[in-house]
Amino acid sequence: MPSAEPTSRTNTPGAEQTSEATTRRAPLPHPAAAAVAVAPVPRPALDWRLRFAALSLIWGFSFLLIKVGTDGYAPFQVTLGRLLSGTAVLALAMAVKRERLPRTARTWGHLAVAAFLLNALPFSLFAYAELTIPSTLAGICNATSPLWGMALSLVALSEDRPTRRRVAGLGLGFLGVLTVLGAWQGFSGLDFSGTAMALLASLSYPIGWIYVRRTLAGSGSSALSLTGSQLFLGTVQLALVTPLFTSAPDGFPLWPTLAVVALGALGTGLAVLLQYGLVTEVGPTTAQMVTYFIPVIATAAGVAVLGEHLSWNTPVGALVVLAGAALTQSRPRATGAPPAPPEPALRPQLSGAAGARPGPADPDPAPVPAPAPAAVVVHP
C-alpha cells in the first residue's frame, strides 16, 4: 500500500546500493523452477479406495465378460476385439499426456515378446478355456499366478531367495488348487483341456514378468508408453493369427459384442490406468492386494449372473489358494530390525524403468531396475 512505502525505507547511507548489489549477486530462481520445487503432487478427485474397489470389480467381472463374448465369437476374435479396444483407450491416454513411443528397435523387439507372453497368449488361452469350463474356475486358476511366479523367480531371479514361509505358501497354494479341482474324486466332471489352458494362461503371466524385468528395466520410457506399445503389438499379433484360424463372424450379436468391447476398454484399458494411479498414490504393495479380490468377485459374478454351479470345494480351495499366494508374496522382517517406513507415494511420472520409484526427496535419481508395468498385479 502507498502508506507503507515510507516506513520500509532506511536512512542508512548506501543501503539502497548494497541492496541492489546483493540482488544482482543472488538472483531469484526462475518462476518455473521454483514451481517445480514446491508444487505438491495433485491428488486425484476420487478416493483411492473407490478406485481400488472399481479395479477389483472390473478385473473380477472380466471372466464373465469372456464367457459372454465366446457365446457369439471365436476365442481368437474375442481376444482381438479385447486388445483392439484396450489399445484404443491407452492410445487416447498417451495422446492426452503427450507420451512418446519407445524409440529403439531393441525395446520394440522385447515389447513384442512381452505382448505375446502377457497379452496375446494368456488372453487367448482364457478365452479357449471358457468354452469348456465355468468362468468361476477360470478366475480361480488366474489366482495361481503368484504361485507360479514365486516358483519361477527362485530359479530365474537371483535376488529372490526361498524362505520357509514362502515355500510353505507355495505348497499351500497348490494344495488349494487340488482342492478346487476335486483331486480326491479323481477330477471327475472336470474338463482337463480347459482347466489346463487356464492354468497355462496363469503361468504365462509370471514368465512374461520375469522376461520384462530382465530386458526392459531402465529402457527410459514411461510405464504408460511401454504398456500402450505392448498392447498395440499384441493387437498386431492377433490380427495376423485370427484370420488363419477363424472365419468372419456371420453377424455382430449385441451382448457378446458389448462384452468384448467392455472387456477391452475397461478390463484392459481403463484398469491399467487405475492400476498405475494406485501404484503412484499408495505404492505397489497395497495396489497388488487387488489380486486377492479377483477370484472372489469372479466366483460371485459367475454364480449370480450366469447361474454357474458351485460345489463346496471351489470356494474352500480358492481361499486356500489365496492364503498360499499371500504367503509367497510376504517378506518377513529381520529379527531386531526396526519397522520399515511406509511406502512413499510415487510421482505421477515414473522415471527410467516402468516401475522405478524415486524417493520423495530425490528430484532426479538414477533409474532403478524394477518390474515392468504389467508386473505390478495379476490381471486377467
Side-chain angles (χ1 to χ4, degrees), residues 143-178:
T144 64
S145 280
L147 305 177
W148 297 117
M150 184 265 180
L152 292 172
S153 67
L154 296 180
V155 177
L157 298 176
S158 59
E159 63 268 27
D160 274 330
R161 300 299 182 188
T163 64
R164 291 181 180 179
R165 179 181 298 184
R166 300 184 72 196
V167 172
L170 185 63
L172 183 64
F174 283 110
L175 179 62
V177 173
L178 294 177

Side-chain angles (χ1 to χ4, degrees), residues 62 65-85 123-124 126-128 131 238 242 246 256 259-261 263-264:
S62 292
L65 295 175
I66 293 173
K67 193 73 170 179
V68 175
T70 54
D71 287 341
Y73 298 101
F76 275 139
Q77 293 170 344
V78 171
T79 304
L80 175 59
R82 173 183 188 174
L83 286 171
L84 188 62
S85 301
F123 291 179
S124 299
F126 272 124
Y128 270 103
L131 292 177
L238 262 296
T242 301
T246 64
V260 171
V261 172
L263 182 63

Side-chain angles (χ1 to χ4, degrees), residues 49 87 108 171 183 190-191 200 209 245 255 301 316 319 335 354 367:
R49 296 170 186 83
T87 301
W108 281 99
L190 184 71
D191 184 81
L200 285 174
W209 300 335
F245 295 93
W255 290 113
V316 171
L319 291 176
T335 304

Side-chain angles (χ1 to χ4, degrees), residues 80-94 119 227-236 264-265 268-270:
L80 175 59
R82 173 183 188 174
L83 286 171
L84 188 62
S85 301
T87 301
V89 172
L90 291 189
L92 179 61
M94 290 175 63
N119 302 117
T227 306
S229 303
Q230 177 182 308
L231 286 183
F232 169 74
L233 292 173
T235 305
V236 172
T268 308
L270 177 61

Side-chain angles (χ1 to χ4, degrees), residues 86-101 222 224-225 228-229 273:
T87 301
V89 172
L90 291 189
L92 179 61
M94 290 175 63
V96 170
K97 296 186 177 183
R98 298 182 178 180
E99 292 281 356
R100 294 183 177 181
L101 293 173
S222 70
L224 179 58
S225 175
S229 303
L273 300 178

Side-chain angles (χ1 to χ4, degrees), residues 5 18 75 100 202 263 296 311:
E5 183 177 357
T18 303
R100 294 183 177 181
S202 68
L263 182 63
V296 177
S311 301

